[in-house]
Amino acid sequence: MSLEIPWDRLFDAAASAQARAYAPYSRFPVGAAVMTDEGSIHAGCNVENASYGLSACAEQNAIVRAVVEGGKRLVAVAILANSSAPCPPCGRCRQMIAEFAGPDTPVRSRTQGGEEARYTAGELLPHSFGREFL
Ligand code: THU
């Protein structure tokens, strides 16, 4: 079964979130949006902290919002940043994506200029640690 992903809606949601990013230290605002298997879309932005290590990524916050709002499984992840090349998710976010996505779940990243990179969750984090090991 292949599900049609409304990527433009996802990137619109990511853009609205990016506009609210709290990134006074890095000045690198990021927006992300995830879609669940029930079709709901949840967006997040990065939220930094004066104690830099406490900063939370956009993908992380989008996933946390999905879970709070009842989401269980992710079917798509969209990331939007102002980098010149599409920004791939950091290692921590890859692990968070792996928890709620399958290896074939598509992850797309776009620049402001519309350049896009396409990955799957499994490509981003092969051999991931998961609950099956616990
Ligand atoms: N950041 C994200 O939110 N997502 C990514 O995929 C890469 C990095 C944030 C973390 C930090 O607030 C800023 O971008 C610079 O690293």
Side-chain angles (χ1 to χ4, degrees):
M1 187 195 79
S2 106
L3 182 70
E4 200 58 47
I5 304 295
W7 287 106
D8 286 340
R9 278 181 56 213
L10 275 162
F11 278 104
D12 283 350
S16 299
Q18 187 196 22
R20 294 185 168 159
Y22 179 74
Y25 307 108
S26 71
R27 300 183 194 279
F28 188 71
V30 184
V34 299
M35 195 171 97
T36 71
D37 59 357
E38 295 186 324
S40 58
I41 291 176
H42 309 268
C45 60
N46 51 337
V47 179
E48 298 184 345
N49 193 281
S51 179
Y52 299 162
L54 299 181
S55 299
C57 288
E59 299 91 324
Q60 174 190 349
N61 286 333
I63 291 169
V64 167
R65 286 188 75 192
V67 172
V68 169
E69 289 160 26
K72 303 260 188 301
R73 300 299 304 163
L74 303 183
V75 297
V77 180
I79 303 161
L80 183 66
N82 296 347
S83 41
S84 51
C87 165
C90 79
R92 185 169 189 266
C93 289
R94 294 177 193 208
Q95 178 69 26
M96 287 207 65
I97 292 168
E99 181 76 22
F100 298 103
D104 297 328
T105 301
V107 178
R108 295 189 182 186
S109 179
R110 284 186 192 168
T111 64
Q112 290 295 340
E115 191 187 334
E116 184 175 88
R118 298 181 180 186
Y119 321 94
T120 64
E123 282 169 358
L124 288 168
L125 191 64
H127 310 290
S128 63
F129 176 72
R131 55 190 294 171
E132 63 273 24
F133 296 102
L134 297 174

